[in-house]
Amino acid sequence: MNKIRLGEKIATFILWIVSAISVFILIAIIGHIMIQGIPHINWEFLTEEPENMGKSGGIYSIIISTIYIVGISLVISVPIGVCAAIYLAEYAKEGKGVRIIRFTIETLAGIPSIIFGLFGMVFFVLFLKLGLSVLSGGLTLSLMILPTLIRTSEEAIRSVPREYREGSLALGASKWQTISRVVLPSALSGIITGIILGIGRAVGESAALMLTAGGTLGIPNNVLRPGRTMAVHIYIMASEGLSMQNTYGTAAVLIILIMIINFAANRAMKKMIAITSVRGQAKNG
């Protein structure tokens, strides 16, 4: 018994050390970028156009292009991903076909982003003749984050207790009413977590976008114009040694933007869960 407890204490201590090292490395990386980048962030840096290939000026057009491309990818991938997850979790019967679909989703989730970039360049840019554009980049990103959205949404829907469904059906609700009014609100936190993960991957992607969205500076006046996201801007600035100050400044803005998105999504999720809970209590009352 004492040996078992000693083993548990040793395992707990090792896990604590590994977790502490991981957190320390993460804080060190983020801290280095923020210390180097925050001094260069000011109102002019955020609102002025880049000049001299990005050596001077701000990153206003870079921020706008990033919002355009990530917005397009979410508008396309979120409805498809959630609907596919509902089908797999609630309607699909277990069998060879479903196993093949899940295996395909798992495989796509592990494929490097450059492969999606090559596919996007061949299919969207060349075959559909969309050219290097914000639309081509958004469509490519939507394909890239779709497997993650389907996996996380399906797991969130499956984690809803079966008693919830049985109780709703016993009260006379149809299957779709049960899914839309009981299952989806209960799985909302997991679904939003998947969307946040998708946003994080889309915002930080560079390789796939260099092949589909291009790297042109300036604000795209329509979705068929090329644009440069912040991740692509950081890569080009750092690899060509144009301006390390602007590179660190852009990286710090990117990290702050991701933090704001995560904070806003968590706040929205808590509010929606609270509203859903109040409505459920009102109905039961």
Side-chain angles (χ1 to χ4, degrees), residues 1 60 72 86 91 105 112 121-122 125 138 158 191 202 213 246 279:
M1 192 67 173
Y60 179 69
I72 290 172
I86 293 172
Y91 290 101
I105 293 171
M121 183 184 70
V122 172
V125 177
R158 284 183 175 278
I191 294 172
N246 284 356
R279 287 178 177 173

Side-chain angles (χ1 to χ4, degrees), residues 2-285:
N2 292 331
K3 289 184 178 179
I4 295 175
R5 289 182 177 176
L6 179 62
E8 289 180 353
K9 289 182 179 178
I10 293 174
T12 303
F13 178 74
I14 293 173
L15 291 174
W16 186 87
I17 292 293
V18 172
S19 301
I21 292 173
S22 302
V23 173
F24 174 77
I25 293 173
L26 180 62
I27 292 175
I29 294 173
I30 295 177
H32 173 74
I33 294 173
M34 300 301 276
I35 290 172
Q36 297 291 331
I38 284 181
H40 306 292
I41 300 176
N42 51 46
W43 182 249
E44 288 74 21
F45 184 72
L46 297 175
T47 57
E48 289 183 355
E49 292 288 330
E51 300 174 355
N52 297 324
M53 301 299 291
K55 293 179 182 178
S56 59
I59 58 170
Y60 179 69
S61 62
I62 309 297
I63 295 174
I64 298 300
S65 297
T66 303
I67 294 173
Y68 282 172
I69 293 176
V70 174
I72 290 172
S73 66
L74 290 179
V75 167
I76 296 171
S77 61
V78 170
I80 296 175
V82 174
C83 289
I86 293 172
Y87 172 75
L88 290 173
E90 299 292 336
Y91 290 101
K93 295 181 180 178
E94 292 297 330
K96 190 175 180 180
V98 173
R99 287 198 296 272
I100 291 175
I101 292 174
R102 290 205 176 97
F103 176 76
T104 305
I105 293 171
E106 296 287 341
T107 304
L108 288 174
I111 290 179
S113 60
I114 188 66
I115 304 300
F116 284 99
L118 289 171
F119 172 80
M121 183 184 70
V122 172
F123 185 71
F124 297 123
V125 177
L126 300 178
F127 181 73
L128 296 183
K129 301 185 185 304
L130 297 177
L132 294 174
S133 62
V134 170
L135 183 58
S136 295
L139 290 170
T140 304
L141 282 187
S142 67
L143 294 178
M144 199 173 67
I145 65 177
L146 190 58
T148 303
L149 284 173
I150 295 175
R151 284 197 312 172
T152 53
S153 299
E154 185 186 359
E155 290 299 322
I157 293 171
R158 284 183 175 278
S159 66
V160 176
R162 182 177 296 275
E163 290 76 11
Y164 287 21
R165 299 174 176 82
E166 293 174 349
S168 177
L169 294 172
L171 292 173
S174 65
K175 185 166 185 175
W176 174 245
Q177 288 174 330
T178 300
I179 293 171
S180 60
R181 299 181 185 180
V182 177
V183 176
L184 287 181
S186 301
L188 192 61
S189 60
I191 294 172
I192 292 180
T193 300
I195 295 173
I196 293 173
L197 291 173
I199 293 174
R201 187 174 184 187
V203 170
E205 181 51 45
S206 60
L209 292 176
M210 292 182 69
L211 299 175
T212 54
T216 304
L217 294 171
I219 299 176
N221 51 21
N222 62 65
V223 295
L224 295 179
R225 298 292 299 171
R228 180 187 292 189
T229 63
M230 284 190 280
V232 174
H233 187 62
I234 292 169
Y235 173 76
I236 293 175
M237 297 285 287
S239 61
E240 298 182 3
L242 297 174
S243 172
M244 290 308 295
Q245 291 183 351
N246 284 356
T247 303
Y248 275 115
T250 307
V253 172
L254 181 58
I255 292 174
I256 293 171
L257 180 63
I258 292 174
M259 289 181 177
I260 292 173
I261 290 171
N262 286 344
F263 178 76
N266 285 325
R267 292 278 297 178
M269 178 183 66
K270 289 179 180 178
K271 284 188 177 180
M272 292 180 73
I273 291 174
I275 293 172
T276 304
S277 177
V278 170
R279 287 178 177 173
Q281 291 176 359
K283 287 180 179 179
N284 294 330

